[in-house]
Amino acid sequence: MTRVLWRAAWLLASLATLRVAASPAVDPAFVREAGRCALRGECGSKGALGGQIPCPDNGLAVKSDDPVFLATLSSLCGSDFPDTTCCTQDQLNTLSSSIQQAEPLIASCPACRNNFVAYYCHFTCSPNQSQFVTVTETQELKNNQVGVKTVDVAVAEHFGEGFFDSCKDVKFGATNGFAMEYIHLASLVILADPYSSGCSINYPDLDPPPSPLPPTDNTTIVPLNFSSLSCAAPGLNSRCACPDCPAVCATLPPIPTPADRAHRCHVGRMDCLPFAMTIIWASLVIAFATTMTGISVWKLSKTKPVGKWATWPTLPTLSTSSRPGYDRVPLNDPLSSFDSGADNLTESPRSGSLARGPSTSTTGAASTSDAQDGDSLAGRQKPPSGAPSLGRSSSHDTSISTPSPSPFLQPRTYTLNTVLASFFYRLGYFCAKRPYLTLALGLAVAGGINSGWSKFEVERDPVRLWVAKGSESARAKEQFDNAFGPFYRTEQIFVSVAPAVQRLDSAPEPGMLPGVDVEYEAKRWEPADEPVLTWSRLQWLASVQSTIRALESPSGYSLKDVCFSPQTNPDAPEDTSSCVVQSVMGWLGDTLDEVDENSWQRTLNECAASPSRCLPPYGQPLAPKFVVGGLEGQDGRRFSVSEARGLVVTYVVRNSLDSELIAKVEEWETTLQKYLSDLSSPSSSARLDLDLQISYSTGISLETELNKSANTDIPIVVVSYVLMFLYIAINLGGSGAGLLKSAGRGLLLLGSGIVHLIRLVPFPSRLSLGRQRSASVTLSLAGSTSGMGAYFRRQVLVDSKFLLGLWGISIVLLSVSTSVALFSALGVKVTLVIAEVIPFLVLAIGVDNIFILSHELDQQNARAYATSARVGGAIFSTHNEEEDDAFGLPPAEERVAAALSRMGPSILLTAISETVAFSLGALVGMPAVRNFAIYAAGAVVLDTILQVTVFVSAMAIDLQRIEANRVDCMPCLKLPQSAFFDLGATVTEGFIARFIRTVYAPVLLKKPVKYLVMVLFSGLFLLSWIGSRHITLGLDQRLALPSNSYLVNYFNAVDTFLDVGPPVYFVMKDVNVSARANQQRVCGRFSTCQELSLANVLEAERKRSDASFIAEPPAVWMDDFFQYLNPLLEDCCRVSRADPSVFCSPDDPDVACRPCFEDADPPYDTTMNGFPEGDEFHRYLVHWAQSPTDETCPLGGKAGYSTALKLNPERKTVDLSHFRTFHTPLKTQDDFINAMASAHRVARDLSRRTGGTVFPYSLFYVFFDQYSHIVATTRQVLTFAFLSIFAITSLFLGSWRTGAVVVTTVFLSVVSVMGGMGAWGVSLNAISLVNLVISIGLSLEFCLHIARSFMAASGGGLSFNHPAGMKDRDERARIALNDVGSSVVSGITMTKLIGVSVLALTRSRLLETYFFRVWLILIVSAALHGLVFLPVALSFFGGQGFSTGEDEDWLGNVIGSRYEHEGRPFLGDSDDESEDDGLF
């Protein structure tokens, strides 16, 4: 029974504090019996504005024969109500007026309306009133009469349940709320709470329940109990529509919720699928290991041991001279015998470069793939110990003999490679021969293109950045803005009690978060668990709002000039009282005059219980969820409004497509922002005196703070670039190594000198001996100093390539600048992502070409110097740059041309692959991604062109400088000749190259290690795939902000305190709503509306908010419009009695007007038969949209629906209209994404049911539009990229097998990046999609140079199916690592690591999350896959290569000579390292 009374109390007195405890003692003289009253008549009011208070009267009911009284009673309570009553005509008039005011709220549900009227008729006029109403307390009024102060009302459980159920779901559409939330009891009945009429109602608990038998004495209570109407009953006087009565609603087909979709099978904390895949992988690894172990054991048991290496099969293609019976033979000619290492060397004529031996002929048709199994090898012999006879096919290995060419087999040729090599040779020769002309032409063309900077523009609009122009959300926003106007701008303030940790912090700058560690403070921000409201704080809030109302911008604009007012929209109001300001002060009328320190809490709690009795000045009910937050404690306890933990103040400001109005608004917002910045400062009185924390946002805040974030990133990005520049400039050509060696040798020399000087300390007994040592020490130091000085002068001053490195860096920057200018001229705007990423990206891509070209030129010089040394003796730096070299040294331009000829095809392959990969990003509709892809592809193309032309010319100039013994960076200075160094010593092997040659490559390509690598990388792939499943979608706005931005606290406050979701509009078009059939497809409040009409579907979706994310009843304009026409609502739609074609205004007298449909034929009823159609529908609709919304008729359409309709007066149609509701509170990125997806699903369903077009719109949709298709877009872009790379690499490398290996390596690297993203909490969005496209390009950098070197090694090697093919591929993989591995490490890996490492210092969480984290994962993953997995995969699955057109034997001799010939005066290295006998 208690539950029933509470429910009844909620319905009947939504403002009163219901008391269920025992009432005060009843007057012993009070008589309870049928036919006796408890109340009768009106005794007056308690105050001038108070309602009428009934008089206590325990007399008998009176039968009336007054026709006016009986007519009024019959019209209100029905003709069957007894004419013997306990009420007077005045009471009936008051009751009639109150019911009339309630009609607009409850008339849509006949059962609720009739139950409501029946209850109040019985309460007011029942002849048996004394049996269920008890006067428990009276009061003396101003007119000296005694009135009722407190009464008890007994209500039977059956009636209470039925009454409540019939009304609990009745909606008031204009406010997206429930009607009962807005009913003020004082306006409906003669009784109300003590603060309106001065009378209160109690509902005592009937315990024990009353007996169903007739009362036996005059003290027995007989609860009010009559049959209530059910909203689901079939009669017209009871049946309600679906929105007001869930029992009659159709059920929508079930759909899974996001929680259902996220629920997966788990084994412990692991999903079942990854768990199963892990088990399968582990089983396969164990099976493979077991099988290989068994095979090895079986072979051991079947093979007779011969020696230490008998278990390794001896193949006729490769051998190691240190192994008995296992000689190494040339890969390019397995049938040839060994010959002298220098026998094939011939000199070229001066017109050519270098002559080739017979084995380099490319005219033969035969290939090494034609070799037959079992062919014998003639004349095997070992080379002399330590002879440096390595061909290029074996890099720097000094234990391999030099082969002689075979007269039978020729290296495999590849026409495309030959053509490209020839082209690049000619291009390189031209650029090196005419370097200054090339530089002038290149810079002139680039300078001309750079004139496009005059059209440079930066795109800052988030909508135009992240939303494709033709996307669904972009079209929806455009249509919504054009039809209904842009969504309002909001200025929002959150007030909470400052956490204790912040109260103790020192004061930072205004607008920043307090505390020393600002980022830490922001991350751990949380409000104090204390009530925010006190009387002093409420006074402070009133003062703040008063100040904001008076705030003026420099041009004199104030709140009234920019605010939104429903009464005057689209015009500005006359004063700020009409402005929509949502705050607890609105309940108090924006003033504290009516409350004091003792009453403010009670008043606020009462207003929160019934917002309609405390209307703010702008006239719309204000629900508590809009103005307070934190009403639920951590223990689940519900707080009252006066105990709320947070306050929300929202100023709704007009938005427009008019730029002049927006300029006014933004100027006022700037003034407001400055005021709020001062208000939220830790040094303000709010913090110091009241311990309040202020979090705020204005309409201009987000764009301002995002720009500030970009500005704070600039120093970090610049430092990153500078460090990369320095690394490149210092390390190019071994400059860094030379400096380190000089410094190290200098320290050693200094230490040695100190030791010798100590020995020279004169002791008497050693005086003679000291004199003898003095001379020798002096000579030793002199020689060491002289040697070190020569070394320093040569290696540091001359051989360094600092200036060449700066040229390379300048070319990279020039390519970026030219790309920006070119596409700016073409109208492609720059974004902040482009500005921050493209220079870094192009530098990272272009650096490896700089290192590789420089390294290859060193190789060409080594051959030339070695050849000249063998022919003419040692070469010293004595040649005149104006004359031919006396020792036959090829001209510098020929060596430069040869370097470009060899590396040009590789550079071209890399550039084309990266350009295609980046260009595919242009398929993405998001402008930020598309523009990035265009700029990146263009920058890569321009950088490549400049590198193979301008940089080649710079290399030629630099080479001439070195050979002329001129100082780097100051070429005008020429050093004197030195006897310590010749030109051959200018090319030295670096530490990384030596490590790869002697340790890394041999160990990596051992068979057990290769198997281990394949197993580990397969496990890494599985782990990465599991990690990629945990990638979420979204981009938290807080990440894009500076960590010390005030908006970080604002977004935290939104998550904590705002308990309402964003509004969502379902916009309908292409539906003729003046036709009855279409009206029934849309409406929901009438009996003939379709079961699954638009209104009913939205209501059904609201009831499953966990799947639809719709929280509030929809505002269906058609339902409220037709309700407005109800003739029972006498103060709503009215026409002139004299001329029914003329509508009455609210000011016209009642006597001159009548309800619009009072005498309609057919009559107005819930069957919609008498509702207007066609032109009549449009005439009434236009009038309704202009009718004010006020207390006399809250269904007027001006305030709630004037902006919900796009009327076409010429065609008399509704072009577009929207139906507003609200999302559930959205806290996470997943919530926003799922809410948008659900809205689109609902819209598609509504389109199908209405026959028109329905689309959803909410303010955040445009920012989350990318997530509706980003997964599919990512798959599409990556798939196209991998297929394109496979085709390009297969074409350029001449082998689909090698192309497949490269693509697989890149694929595994990208999957590893995605796995790292999932593990490190990096979400998938447009920025990370850009990074995935970048990961393809950078992964190619680590792979393609090695892959092409593999294909070009050993003249192409053997065919894949050749019996010795595996050993051949091992050797070629080893050559590839030796050839370009050091360039990949020093030119790609280290450069990128240096640049990315600096980004760890950034204060931007966006830069730290999406660039530092992702790029660090990318660099590590790409380096591992390119330097570890790729060589192993090539050794297993690589295809047969091709000859590069060079005599591999000759190359082997000269390169081997290089390391035998170099002086190494300070290195003290030994060249007699021998290979591990365990190598292949």
Side-chain angles (χ1 to χ4, degrees):
M1 186 61 186
T2 301
R3 177 170 57 90
V4 177
L5 295 177
W6 272 97
R7 288 182 173 182
W10 171 84
L11 175 66
L12 302 175
S14 58
L15 289 179
T17 302
L18 304 183
R19 294 176 288 275
V20 189
S23 299
V26 181
D27 185 355
F30 187 82
V31 178
R32 298 184 190 276
E33 62 179 356
R36 187 173 291 275
C37 304
L39 314 168
R40 190 201 309 269
E42 297 176 347
C43 290
S45 61
K46 191 174 182 179
L49 301 177
Q52 291 295 319
I53 296 177
C55 304
D57 187 345
N58 197 214
L60 295 174
V62 178
K63 183 176 181 178
S64 175
D65 55 3
D66 183 356
V68 176
F69 176 87
L70 293 177
T72 304
L73 180 66
S74 177
S75 65
L76 288 175
C77 304
S79 58
D80 57 346
F81 198 87
D83 54 4
T84 300
T85 65
C86 290
C87 59
T88 65
Q89 181 66 46
D90 290 339
Q91 286 180 287
L92 286 180
N93 292 339
T94 301
L95 179 61
S96 175
S97 175
S98 300
I99 291 177
Q100 184 64 33
Q101 293 183 31
E103 286 281 6
L105 302 176
I106 60 176
S108 62
C109 182
C112 175
R113 188 260 179 197
N114 292 332
N115 287 335
F116 189 88
V117 172
Y119 171 80
Y120 284 111
C121 283
H122 281 80
F123 178 83
T124 307
C125 298
S126 172
N128 303 320
Q129 191 183 66
S130 64
Q131 292 184 320
F132 60 88
V133 176
T134 304
V135 177
T136 59
E137 191 176 358
T138 59
Q139 59 183 329
E140 185 175 348
L141 306 179
K142 287 188 175 182
N143 57 7
N144 296 325
Q145 295 192 38
V146 177
V148 174
K149 184 175 183 180
T150 306
V151 297
D152 287 353
V153 179
V155 180
E157 181 175 2
H158 173 73
F159 172 72
E161 289 278 4
F163 192 178
F164 175 78
D165 291 340
S166 67
C167 292
K168 64 180 180 179
D169 293 304
V170 177
K171 313 298 188 308
F172 183 47
T175 61
N176 294 106
F178 293 90
M180 292 300 102
E181 294 178 357
Y182 302 101
I183 291 180
H184 181 206
L185 190 60
S187 66
L188 303 179
V189 294
I190 59 174
L191 298 178
D193 65 281
Y195 301 99
S196 54
S197 68
C199 180
S200 61
I201 303 174
N202 293 323
Y203 294 86
D205 190 4
L206 300 180
D207 189 20
S211 172
L213 299 176
T216 58
D217 54 52
N218 63 358
T219 63
T220 303
I221 295 176
V222 180
L224 178 62
N225 187 15
F226 57 88
S227 297
S228 58
L229 299 175
S230 171
C231 65
L236 289 180
N237 68 329
S238 58
R239 188 172 182 84
C240 303
C242 169
D244 300 326
C245 184
V248 302
C249 292
T251 303
L252 293 174
I255 59 171
T257 66
D260 295 334
R261 292 192 296 267
H263 179 73
R264 300 168 180 167
C265 169
H266 286 81
V267 178
R269 299 183 62 182
M270 192 173 185
D271 292 348
C272 290
L273 182 58
F275 179 80
M277 296 297 293
T278 303
I279 294 298
I280 293 173
W281 174 80
S283 301
L284 292 176
V285 170
I286 293 173
F288 175 77
T290 303
T291 302
M292 294 304 296
T293 303
I295 293 174
S296 299
V297 171
W298 180 79
K299 286 185 176 181
L300 285 173
S301 64
K302 295 295 183 180
T303 304
K304 182 180 179 180
V306 177
K308 179 180 178 182
W309 296 100
T311 57
W312 289 90
T314 302
L315 296 176
T317 55
L318 288 172
S319 65
T320 303
S321 57
S322 60
R323 301 177 189 171
Y326 185 51
D327 294 336
R328 188 183 298 273
V329 299
L331 292 175
N332 62 337
D333 192 359
L335 301 180
S336 65
S337 60
F338 285 111
D339 202 349
S340 172
D343 287 346
N344 292 327
L345 183 64
T346 60
E347 293 185 48
S348 68
R350 294 296 301 136
S351 60
S353 56
L354 295 173
R356 277 78 174 171
S359 64
T360 62
S361 172
T362 60
T363 59
S367 172
T368 54
S369 61
D370 300 325
Q372 302 296 319
D373 296 343
D375 289 344
S376 62
L377 300 177
R380 288 186 183 176
Q381 63 182 36
K382 298 180 182 179
S385 176
S389 57
L390 169 65
R392 190 176 184 89
S393 59
S394 295
S395 190
H396 312 305
D397 191 341
T398 59
S399 63
I400 302 178
S401 61
T402 304
S404 62
S406 168
F408 302 105
L409 296 180
Q410 302 294 337
R412 174 176 175 262
T413 61
Y414 186 50
T415 304
L416 179 60
N417 178 75
T418 304
V419 171
L420 291 176
S422 176
F423 167 77
F424 280 109
Y425 182 87
R426 293 186 177 91
L427 176 65
Y429 189 83
F430 175 85
C431 295
K433 189 71 174 177
R434 302 170 180 83
Y436 296 104
L437 176 62
T438 304
L439 291 175
L441 290 175
L443 296 178
V445 173
I449 298 176
N450 271 269
S451 62
W453 275 90
S454 59
K455 298 185 178 181
F456 175 82
E457 289 185 73
V458 178
E459 184 61 81
R460 299 182 184 274
D461 186 351
V463 175
R464 295 181 180 177
L465 274 176
W466 304 114
V467 182
K469 188 174 183 179
S471 69
E472 189 175 0
S473 293
R475 294 196 306 269
K477 183 181 188 305
E478 182 179 6
Q479 292 183 64
F480 186 92
D481 290 350
N482 292 333
F484 313 115
F487 193 77
Y488 317 118
R489 301 167 73 98
T490 57
E491 330 296 326
Q492 201 163 49
I493 307 168
F494 288 89
V495 183
S496 60
V497 179
V501 66
Q502 291 191 14
R503 300 179 206 170
L504 301 176
D505 285 335
S506 58
E509 297 178 3
M512 301 302 182
L513 298 179
V516 178
D517 188 353
V518 181
E519 185 172 0
Y520 176 72
E521 292 290 343
K523 289 181 178 179
R524 63 187 180 125
W525 178 91
E526 61 180 18
D529 190 17
E530 302 176 26
V532 66
L533 277 174
T534 63
W535 175 243
S536 60
R537 290 170 178 170
L538 190 61
Q539 291 176 312
W540 170 85
L541 180 63
S543 173
V544 168
Q545 291 190 214
S546 177
T547 302
I548 292 177
R549 284 196 297 270
L551 206 62
E552 289 190 357
S553 69
S555 299
Y557 303 125
S558 63
L559 178 61
K560 70 180 181 63
D561 298 312
V562 299
C563 74
F564 170 76
S565 172
Q567 287 86 357
T568 63
N569 187 57
D571 299 323
E574 295 182 0
D575 55 55
T576 58
S577 62
S578 299
C579 296
V580 176
V581 181
Q582 297 176 333
S583 167
V584 293
M585 289 299 302
W587 286 336
L588 306 177
D590 288 336
T591 178
L592 298 179
D593 294 342
E594 300 296 326
V595 294
D596 55 32
E597 188 173 359
N598 298 318
S599 64
W600 69 269
Q601 291 176 298
R602 180 174 51 194
T603 302
L604 288 182
N605 291 333
E606 291 165 352
C607 289
S610 182
S612 61
R613 74 169 292 270
C614 302
L615 293 178
Y618 61 88
Q620 297 293 310
L622 193 57
K625 60 187 176 184
F626 291 104
V627 295
V628 293
L631 293 179
E632 186 171 344
Q634 297 178 356
D635 56 356
R637 183 168 66 93
R638 186 77 179 174
F639 301 124
S640 64
V641 167
S642 61
E643 298 174 314
R645 270 46 181 169
L647 298 178
V648 187
V649 181
T650 305
Y651 292 84
V652 181
V653 176
R654 284 184 294 161
N655 202 354
S656 175
L657 300 176
D658 184 1
S659 58
E660 293 184 3
L661 176 59
I662 294 301
K664 293 180 182 179
V665 171
E666 290 182 347
E667 181 179 323
W668 183 81
E669 287 175 337
T670 302
T671 304
L672 176 64
Q673 180 171 309
K674 184 179 184 304
Y675 170 74
L676 294 177
S677 177
D678 296 337
L679 187 70
S680 62
S681 171
S683 59
S684 67
S685 60
R687 176 63 63 85
L688 298 178
D689 300 334
L690 300 174
D691 283 338
L692 291 179
Q693 175 175 259
I694 313 299
S695 306
Y696 68 93
S697 172
T698 66
I700 61 173
S701 292
L702 186 59
E703 183 175 344
T704 302
E705 291 299 293
L706 288 177
N707 292 337
K708 183 188 297 183
S709 175
N711 294 334
T712 58
D713 294 342
I714 291 176
I716 298 296
V717 175
V718 169
V719 170
S720 176
Y721 293 157
V722 168
L723 288 180
M724 287 191 293
F725 294 165
L726 292 176
Y727 173 80
I728 295 167
I730 292 175
N731 285 276
L732 191 65
S735 305
L739 288 173
L740 291 176
K741 291 175 183 177
S742 297
R745 294 302 178 180
L747 292 175
L748 289 176
L749 181 60
L750 179 61
S752 177
I754 293 174
V755 171
H756 284 294
L757 290 175
I758 292 175
R759 291 179 178 178
L760 292 177
V761 175
F763 295 101
S765 59
R766 297 170 52 189
L767 185 58
S768 176
L769 181 60
R771 291 175 179 173
Q772 296 175 3
R773 290 178 177 177
S774 175
S776 61
V777 170
T778 302
L779 292 174
S780 174
L781 288 176
S784 299
T785 304
S786 175
M788 189 185 72
Y791 180 88
F792 177 82
R793 287 194 300 272
R794 184 70 204 188
Q795 288 285 58
V796 177
L797 299 181
V798 176
D799 293 341
S800 68
K801 298 181 180 179
F802 190 88
L803 187 59
L804 181 63
L806 291 180
W807 264 106
I809 295 167
S810 301
I811 288 172
V812 171
L813 296 180
L814 180 61
S815 66
V816 174
S817 173
T818 306
S819 175
V820 172
L822 175 63
F823 291 111
S824 294
L826 296 176
V828 182
K829 292 186 178 181
V830 174
T831 67
L832 294 178
V833 174
I834 293 174
E836 292 184 347
V837 176
I838 291 294
F840 187 97
L841 175 64
V842 177
L843 182 64
I845 290 176
V847 163
D848 71 311
N849 293 337
I850 295 174
F851 273 87
I852 285 174
L853 284 173
S854 179
H855 177 70
E856 180 59 28
L857 182 59
D858 289 343
Q859 302 279 17
Q860 296 290 337
N861 290 334
R863 301 174 211 171
Y865 300 156
T867 302
S868 296
R870 290 170 182 261
V871 174
I875 304 174
F876 297 93
S877 300
T878 58
H879 80 283
N880 189 327
E881 52 196 294
E882 305 292 338
E883 302 175 358
D884 291 339
D885 184 64
F887 300 102
L889 188 67
E893 53 266 23
E894 290 188 4
R895 283 172 275 154
V896 172
L900 184 62
S901 174
R902 187 168 188 276
M903 302 311 300
S906 178
I907 294 174
L908 179 64
L909 169 60
T910 305
I912 292 178
S913 300
E914 290 167 346
T915 302
V916 170
F918 292 143
S919 298
L920 289 172
L923 299 176
V924 180
M926 289 172 284
V929 179
R930 186 189 66 246
N931 292 7
F932 165 82
I934 292 173
Y935 274 92
V940 169
V941 170
L942 292 171
D943 183 55
T944 303
I945 293 174
L946 292 174
Q947 282 181 334
V948 298
T949 55
V950 175
F951 185 70
V952 167
S953 299
M955 285 200 308
I957 295 174
D958 190 68
L959 179 58
Q960 294 173 356
R961 175 194 62 79
I962 292 174
E963 295 184 347
N965 214 33
R966 295 183 178 275
V967 176
D968 191 19
C969 298
M970 293 182 290
C972 296
L973 299 180
K974 185 174 182 180
L975 297 182
Q977 299 176 4
S978 173
F980 284 91
F981 287 90
D982 59 18
L983 286 175
T986 62
V987 182
T988 59
E989 183 181 21
F991 169 77
I992 296 177
R994 180 180 296 277
F995 174 79
I996 291 175
R997 175 174 63 86
T998 59
V999 178
Y1000 179 73
V1003 171
L1004 178 66
L1005 295 172
K1006 287 183 177 181
K1007 184 176 291 187
V1009 176
K1010 291 198 301 179
Y1011 287 138
L1012 179 62
V1013 166
M1014 299 301 289
V1015 169
L1016 292 178
F1017 275 85
S1018 64
L1020 177 61
F1021 168 73
L1022 177 61
L1023 187 64
S1024 300
W1025 173 74
I1026 294 174
S1028 68
R1029 289 168 54 87
H1030 295 277
I1031 295 178
T1032 59
L1033 303 181
L1035 175 59
D1036 193 336
Q1037 298 178 83
R1038 281 164 283 209
L1039 291 179
L1041 299 168
S1043 57
N1044 58 355
S1045 170
Y1046 61 86
L1047 285 183
V1048 176
N1049 263 3
Y1050 167 75
F1051 288 122
N1052 289 334
V1054 169
D1055 290 344
T1056 304
F1057 296 129
L1058 196 60
D1059 197 28
V1060 61
V1064 54
Y1065 302 84
F1066 289 92
V1067 183
M1068 181 181 69
K1069 64 178 184 177
D1070 303 330
V1071 176
N1072 180 15
V1073 292
S1074 64
R1076 176 73 73 242
N1078 289 333
Q1079 292 172 356
Q1080 292 170 336
R1081 292 190 182 99
V1082 175
C1083 70
R1085 292 293 186 87
F1086 307 98
S1087 58
T1088 58
C1089 295
Q1090 287 190 0
E1091 192 175 47
L1092 289 176
S1093 64
L1094 182 147
N1096 288 339
V1097 168
L1098 289 178
E1099 176 61 22
E1101 292 289 356
R1102 180 190 69 83
K1103 293 170 183 174
R1104 56 179 188 187
S1105 58
D1106 55 343
S1108 67
F1109 291 87
I1110 295 176
E1112 301 290 345
V1116 182
W1117 63 265
M1118 185 172 289
D1119 285 342
D1120 284 357
F1121 165 59
F1122 284 144
Q1123 286 290 341
Y1124 172 82
L1125 303 179
N1126 191 337
L1128 293 177
L1129 309 179
E1130 298 178 355
D1131 293 326
C1132 287
C1133 184
R1134 302 188 304 164
V1135 293
S1136 172
R1137 293 183 183 274
D1139 184 2
S1141 64
V1142 177
F1143 291 103
C1144 290
S1145 69
D1147 298 328
D1148 291 334
D1150 293 343
V1151 67
C1153 303
R1154 64 174 177 84
C1156 293
F1157 282 78
E1158 185 178 54
D1159 299 323
D1161 185 25
Y1164 180 101
D1165 60 32
T1166 60
T1167 63
M1168 302 179 67
N1169 289 332
F1171 289 6
E1173 296 183 82
D1175 292 347
E1176 184 186 24
F1177 173 88
H1178 187 266
R1179 186 172 74 90
Y1180 280 106
L1181 184 65
V1182 171
H1183 169 69
W1184 171 69
Q1186 298 171 350
S1187 299
T1189 305
D1190 51 29
E1191 292 184 359
T1192 60
C1193 183
L1195 288 174
K1198 182 175 179 61
Y1201 296 107
S1202 61
T1203 58
L1205 301 169
K1206 178 65 174 178
L1207 302 178
N1208 189 325
E1210 297 179 358
R1211 295 189 299 169
K1212 297 183 178 180
T1213 59
V1214 179
D1215 291 342
L1216 288 93
S1217 63
H1218 69 61
F1219 304 84
R1220 182 188 67 248
T1221 181
F1222 284 84
H1223 281 302
T1224 55
L1226 308 177
K1227 303 298 184 181
T1228 66
Q1229 296 291 293
D1230 284 342
D1231 288 344
F1232 283 98
I1233 295 169
N1234 291 328
M1236 184 184 70
S1238 175
H1240 281 283
R1241 174 189 59 78
V1242 173
R1244 289 192 296 269
D1245 184 34
L1246 295 177
S1247 298
R1248 179 176 58 84
R1249 297 184 187 280
T1250 60
T1253 301
V1254 179
F1255 63 85
Y1257 173 75
S1258 189
L1259 188 62
F1260 71 89
Y1261 284 179
V1262 290
F1263 303 107
F1264 286 83
D1265 177 78
Q1266 55 179 296
Y1267 304 112
S1268 61
H1269 48 75
I1270 193 168
V1271 175
T1273 301
T1274 302
R1275 290 172 179 165
Q1276 178 185 8
V1277 170
L1278 296 183
T1279 300
F1280 286 167
F1282 290 137
L1283 292 177
S1284 302
I1285 292 170
F1286 173 72
I1288 294 170
T1289 54
S1290 298
L1291 175 65
F1292 276 79
L1293 296 178
S1295 170
W1296 68 267
R1297 293 181 184 276
T1298 305
V1301 171
V1302 171
V1303 171
T1304 301
T1305 305
V1306 174
F1307 169 76
L1308 293 177
S1309 179
V1310 173
V1311 171
S1312 296
V1313 172
M1314 297 175 68
M1317 290 170 57
W1320 214 340
V1322 180
S1323 301
L1324 178 61
N1325 48 54
I1327 297 177
S1328 48
L1329 176 56
V1330 168
N1331 281 329
L1332 289 177
V1333 175
I1334 291 175
S1335 69
I1336 295 177
L1338 293 187
S1339 296
L1340 285 171
E1341 289 286 320
F1342 287 86
C1343 297
L1344 288 180
H1345 297 297
I1346 294 177
R1348 190 175 185 280
S1349 181
F1350 169 83
M1351 294 298 292
S1354 301
L1358 304 177
S1359 66
F1360 183 82
N1361 295 322
H1362 192 279
M1366 178 66 77
K1367 287 296 181 179
D1368 166 59
R1369 291 190 295 275
D1370 285 346
E1371 187 65 18
R1372 286 192 287 142
R1374 184 178 177 184
I1375 293 170
L1377 282 174
N1378 295 343
D1379 194 18
V1380 296
S1382 61
S1383 296
V1384 171
V1385 173
S1386 59
I1388 304 178
T1389 309
M1390 296 305 300
T1391 308
K1392 295 173 176 58
L1393 279 177
I1394 291 173
V1396 168
S1397 298
V1398 179
L1399 298 181
L1401 304 176
T1402 180
R1403 297 177 66 183
S1404 168
R1405 295 181 62 194
L1406 182 72
L1407 202 61
E1408 186 266 339
T1409 301
Y1410 288 97
F1411 294 99
F1412 169 70
R1413 294 185 185 181
V1414 176
W1415 286 12
L1416 182 61
I1417 297 169
L1418 166 59
I1419 293 168
V1420 173
S1421 173
L1424 285 176
H1425 284 84
L1427 293 170
V1428 181
F1429 176 80
L1430 179 63
V1432 172
L1434 289 173
S1435 71
F1436 279 115
F1437 310 108
Q1440 184 181 6
F1442 48 80
S1443 172
T1444 59
E1446 296 178 353
D1447 186 341
E1448 300 295 331
D1449 300 338
W1450 172 80
L1451 293 176
N1453 287 327
V1454 295
I1455 295 176
S1457 300
R1458 160 187 158 191
Y1459 295 106
E1460 179 188 36
H1461 178 69
E1462 63 180 346
R1464 299 190 183 97
F1466 296 109
L1467 294 179
D1469 296 331
S1470 175
D1471 283 337
D1472 38 343
E1473 309 127 279
S1474 60
E1475 276 194 287
D1476 187 349
D1477 289 341
L1479 299 180
F1480 296 112

